[in-house]
Amino acid sequence: MQLYPFTAVLGANPDAADGLDDMALALVLNVIAPSIGGVLVRGEKGTAKSTLVRALTQILPPINVIAGDRFSTDPAEPQPLSPDGPFEADVAVETRAVRLVELPVGATEDRVAGSIHLERALAEGAVHFEPGLLAKAHRGILYVDEVNLLHDHLVDLLLDAAAMGQLTVERDGISVTHAAKFVIVGTMNPEEGELRPQLLDRFGLTVEVAAPREPAQRAEVVRRRLLFDADPEGFRGHYAEAEQRLRSRIEESQSRMASVEVTSEVLHTVAEVCSAFGVDGMRGDIVTARTAAAHAAWQGREAITADDLRVAARLALPHRRRRNPFDAPGLSDSELDELLPPNTGHTDPEPDPNPDGPGGGDGTSAEQGEAPSSDPGPSGSESVAHQPAPVGAGEPYKARLFTVDGLGAGQAGRRSRARTTTGHRIGATPSAAAATGIHLLETVRTAAPFQSARGRTRGRLILQASDLRRAVREGREANLILFVVDTSGSMAARQRMQQVKTAILSLLLDAYRRRDRVGLVTFRDSGAEVALPPTRSVDIAARRLDDLPAGGRTPLAEGLLATAEVVRREHLKDPGHRPLLVVVTDGRATAGADAVGRSRQAANYLAAQGISCVVVDCESGRMRMGLARSLAEHMAANHVWLADVNAQALTDIVRDATREGAA
């Protein structure tokens, strides 16, 4: 397959007037100094993230490896950490290109870390280690597209190996340690959900990318892509010299790294910057210092300047200053100006509206500071002057845990009980030979009664594929949480709406921690609206919540039926993702003819579908009509008062009741 040239992507050619943009620069700096810890690329779809990463291997110098070694051991390594060793002094050496290993989202831990060679175990009765993707990525690049959709324990495994430079595998009767030094590159679309702050911190650098907004640049991107599709060889030939110049400059920078001095003054400045931005832990300081040194080497210097520190801080610190899950990462130039002197010879790259040459990508990496919000929402200039500003939420609290009834089989998460690939083992079931998670004891127990018939007299156990048993595990799954919010006039009182939004924000934070997908349906006036289709981006849901208007009559039936339609569509897309409805209302139904009767019919319909529901009762005052409680009965839902969404409030109630009983 013909790969697109690295230097043909807008913003990825250091010889062009615009130089390297943040994404290309972050990739190059990681290649120069892999100890930086990789790069996370955040951005909308179609911005050349994958194109640029795949093209990276073409500009890297080739490497020498020991011939026949499965772990890409460097022949110059004095004490190679390879299970295929030890090696002879005159071992054969071969030269090959740097590998790019792509990790699929659905990969299992066995596939990533390695496990026993099952076929050889069955045929020979011996235990042999089958290397995983991390062994293949040693001395190369590990590319994880949509890293935010990967299971947390796999992300931890990858980042631990990248930080330690080695991997130890202990399972199924084997214990193997091998080298695993690679540059990890993760890409993600924030609209699909965020990485947790503790995982964000493990990536060395983070950059934001966006497609160009100027027509001239967009036209140039398309022109280059069309030329590449028409004549890949000719197109690549046009950029061959630029690719070679970049490759040579990277080699020189790698050699220069040993000469770059990180002085005490530089370390003190780095510490001041990290402290001023409230960076937790010491990883940010270490990565910033390493990045500054790599940038100095890239610029041909052996002394670190203020320009190197500014670039390093811009790439290494934005994602580390997030204080809670709903804070957007970012670092402004004005904030840096207060801590570091202005650039003394280096200016941030400006996009070239008329770049030379025919090359380009099927997108472009971001221009600095111009990455748009994934959910801009209505701006203040577009709001109606006489319309009151939406009421904001208060400080979120620890929310009560709501779960889906029964035992599911969805994606691993932290909410409802489910059969998952992780968790405690509760049994075993027949398994295919290619399956993972083999239950060794049950496999042996199944094969034992047939040993005489299979001719075994002594020695190793004779196994067949039909003997294999897979472990059945019970853990927790993620769910689809649909918030159905009454924003009619009866809910529009400022204090009540603030309480409602605070409760929903607290539940959103809980959903973020439990890896759920969330959606938002609102109803007011004469109809319902899907304010946010189901998404993994809880950040977007929180922003939509702030902008919710309120007022008008209460079309409760329309809100419930719109929710039922969302559930139906999502079930067609992913039957294993079980829904949980959180209906936030005072139970009134005032819109349309026979509003109360139609709302009860809609509630009965949801109950007949077997959908787990929670009705959060927002009714207040001395004279309560109990409409929300009646709605919960028709929906076969759990009824909860608004104040009881707060887990601490429930704890206080139980504690007070216990004290009264003791008295």
Side-chain angles (χ1 to χ4, degrees):
M1 181 182 68
Q2 296 284 1
L3 291 177
Y4 201 87
F6 187 92
T7 54
V9 179
L10 290 182
N13 188 347
D15 299 332
D18 53 350
L20 296 183
D21 65 9
D22 277 356
M23 178 178 175
L25 180 60
L27 292 173
V28 168
L29 293 180
N30 268 276
V31 169
I32 294 172
S35 60
I36 288 174
V39 57
L40 175 66
V41 184
R42 299 160 41 93
E44 58 196 18
K45 54 185 178 295
T47 49
K49 300 188 295 291
S50 300
T51 298
L52 199 59
V53 173
R54 293 189 177 105
L56 183 62
T57 56
Q58 302 174 101
I59 61 169
L60 299 182
I63 60 174
N64 293 328
V65 298
I66 295 178
D69 177 61
R70 298 175 296 168
F71 300 87
S72 302
T73 300
D74 185 352
E77 185 76 25
Q79 294 181 331
L81 192 62
S82 170
D84 287 352
F87 303 103
E88 301 293 336
D90 56 346
V91 68
V93 177
E94 61 183 30
T95 301
R96 63 164 174 80
V98 172
R99 286 175 178 162
L100 174 70
V101 177
E102 298 192 36
L103 180 68
V105 172
T108 63
E109 186 173 350
D110 289 349
R111 183 73 183 95
V112 174
S115 185
I116 62 170
H117 194 296
L118 189 57
E119 293 182 2
R120 294 184 65 179
L122 292 176
E124 305 172 10
V127 176
H128 295 275
F129 179 65
E130 179 71 11
L133 293 177
L134 296 187
K136 187 177 181 181
H138 178 49
R139 302 179 65 199
I141 299 170
L142 181 68
Y143 175 44
V144 188
D145 193 15
E146 297 182 327
V147 64
N148 51 325
L149 304 184
L150 202 65
H151 289 173
D152 284 355
H153 73 282
L154 286 182
V155 178
D156 271 331
L157 177 66
L158 301 179
L159 296 176
D160 277 340
M164 299 296 295
Q166 66 181 46
L167 177 68
T168 299
V169 182
E170 294 188 0
R171 62 154 60 91
D172 300 327
I174 58 174
S175 179
V176 172
T177 299
H178 65 80
K181 298 178 181 178
F182 50 82
V183 174
I184 182 170
V185 181
T187 58
M188 59 173 283
N189 183 349
E191 293 182 0
E192 292 294 329
E194 289 284 359
L195 273 175
R196 302 179 185 284
Q198 63 268 32
L199 296 181
L200 273 174
D201 181 61
R202 302 291 297 278
F203 279 94
L205 310 179
T206 297
V207 294
E208 301 274 344
V209 299
R213 295 294 181 253
E214 293 192 8
Q217 289 183 326
R218 298 177 73 94
E220 179 62 21
V221 169
V222 176
R223 184 180 73 87
R224 295 186 183 190
R225 183 70 209 191
L226 294 177
L227 287 172
F228 173 76
D229 291 340
D231 182 14
E233 283 294 337
F235 187 89
R236 288 171 54 81
H238 181 87
Y239 282 91
E241 292 186 8
E243 298 276 283
Q244 182 56 47
R245 285 195 298 272
L246 179 55
R247 186 180 299 110
S248 299
R249 184 173 174 182
I250 289 175
E251 286 186 279
E252 294 171 1
S253 301
Q254 290 173 333
S255 301
R256 191 178 295 115
M257 271 296 295
S259 303
V260 177
E261 183 181 6
V262 183
T263 63
S264 298
E265 181 182 0
V266 167
L267 293 178
H268 185 73
T269 303
V270 168
E272 286 183 335
V273 171
C274 293
S275 178
F277 286 127
V279 176
D280 294 330
M282 299 303 300
R283 187 176 285 115
D285 303 59
I286 296 171
V287 172
T288 302
R290 289 172 174 169
T291 306
H295 190 264
W298 169 249
Q299 295 295 334
R301 297 189 292 264
E302 295 183 357
I304 297 175
T305 67
D307 298 325
D308 302 321
L309 292 172
R310 286 178 63 89
V311 171
R314 191 178 72 238
L315 297 177
L317 298 185
H319 60 297
R320 292 188 164 90
R321 67 176 310 197
R322 292 175 59 130
R323 310 307 297 178
N324 66 66
F326 301 138
D327 289 343
L331 204 67
S332 67
D333 289 337
S334 60
E335 291 174 307
L336 279 175
D337 288 339
E338 296 179 2
L339 299 168
L340 294 171
N343 290 348
T344 57
H346 167 77
T347 57
D348 292 339
E350 294 292 337
D352 183 3
N354 297 299
D356 297 329
D362 48 358
T364 178
S365 47
E367 302 162 74
Q368 295 175 21
E370 295 187 4
S373 169
S374 55
D375 175 43
S379 65
S381 61
E382 297 175 348
S383 60
V384 181
H386 64 270
Q387 181 178 351
V391 179
E395 189 68 22
Y397 45 73
K398 181 180 179 181
R400 177 179 176 178
L401 172 61
F402 300 109
T403 61
V404 177
D405 297 334
L407 186 65
Q411 296 181 356
R414 300 180 181 179
R415 183 171 296 275
S416 305
R417 293 176 56 241
R419 298 282 176 83
T420 61
T421 55
T422 59
H424 61 279
R425 193 164 55 199
I426 61 174
T429 186
S431 173
T436 58
I438 298 299
H439 194 311
L440 184 59
L441 177 60
E442 290 298 326
T443 298
V444 172
R445 184 177 295 170
T446 302
F450 305 101
Q451 294 306 295
S452 297
R454 293 173 184 174
R456 176 178 181 254
T457 56
R458 57 187 304 176
R460 68 173 184 267
L461 198 68
I462 301 177
L463 297 176
Q464 295 181 356
S466 59
D467 300 327
L468 293 179
R469 293 296 181 268
R470 179 174 57 85
V472 176
R473 300 180 182 275
E474 181 179 313
R476 296 282 174 175
E477 68 175 359
N479 295 112
L480 168 61
I481 312 298
L482 284 177
F483 293 94
V484 189
V485 185
D486 181 352
T487 57
S488 64
S490 64
M491 299 279 292
R494 188 173 188 85
Q495 182 177 1
R496 185 190 300 187
M497 184 52 68
Q498 184 180 47
Q499 293 173 346
V500 167
K501 289 189 175 182
T502 302
I504 298 174
L505 184 65
S506 303
L507 290 168
L508 281 172
L509 184 60
D510 184 66
Y512 170 87
R513 290 167 176 159
R514 299 184 188 280
R515 307 299 286 167
D516 298 314
R517 295 179 69 208
V518 296
L520 181 61
V521 178
T522 63
F523 54 96
R524 61 186 291 266
D525 284 339
S526 59
E529 176 190 4
V530 181
L532 179 68
T535 176
R536 287 185 174 84
S537 180
V538 178
D539 297 54
I540 295 179
R543 291 196 293 270
R544 293 283 172 91
L545 179 66
D546 279 340
D547 297 329
L548 287 183
R553 300 181 71 83
T554 311
L556 177 57
E558 285 73 9
L560 298 180
L561 292 176
T563 304
E565 177 60 19
V566 173
V567 172
R568 186 190 68 82
R569 291 199 305 264
E570 292 301 313
H571 179 74
L572 293 175
K573 295 179 184 177
D574 186 359
H577 219 129
R578 297 192 296 163
L580 172 64
L581 308 188
V582 180
V583 183
V584 185
T585 180
D586 58 9
R588 298 174 185 267
T590 61
D594 192 21
V596 175
R598 289 188 297 108
S599 64
R600 289 178 177 175
Q601 290 177 357
N604 292 335
Y605 174 76
L606 286 172
Q609 304 302 310
I611 302 172
S612 294
C613 305
V614 176
V615 173
V616 178
D617 193 338
C618 301
E619 192 174 18
S620 59
R622 292 184 178 180
M623 300 297 294
R624 298 185 180 183
M625 304 174 64
L627 298 177
R629 182 181 292 276
S630 176
L631 175 67
E633 292 174 356
H634 284 278
M635 295 178 65
N638 184 16
H639 174 267
V640 177
W641 291 104
L642 177 61
D644 292 343
V645 172
N646 190 332
Q648 184 58 45
L650 288 177
T651 302
D652 294 341
I653 291 172
V654 173
R655 184 180 63 242
D656 293 344
T658 303
R659 288 176 178 174
E660 291 177 5

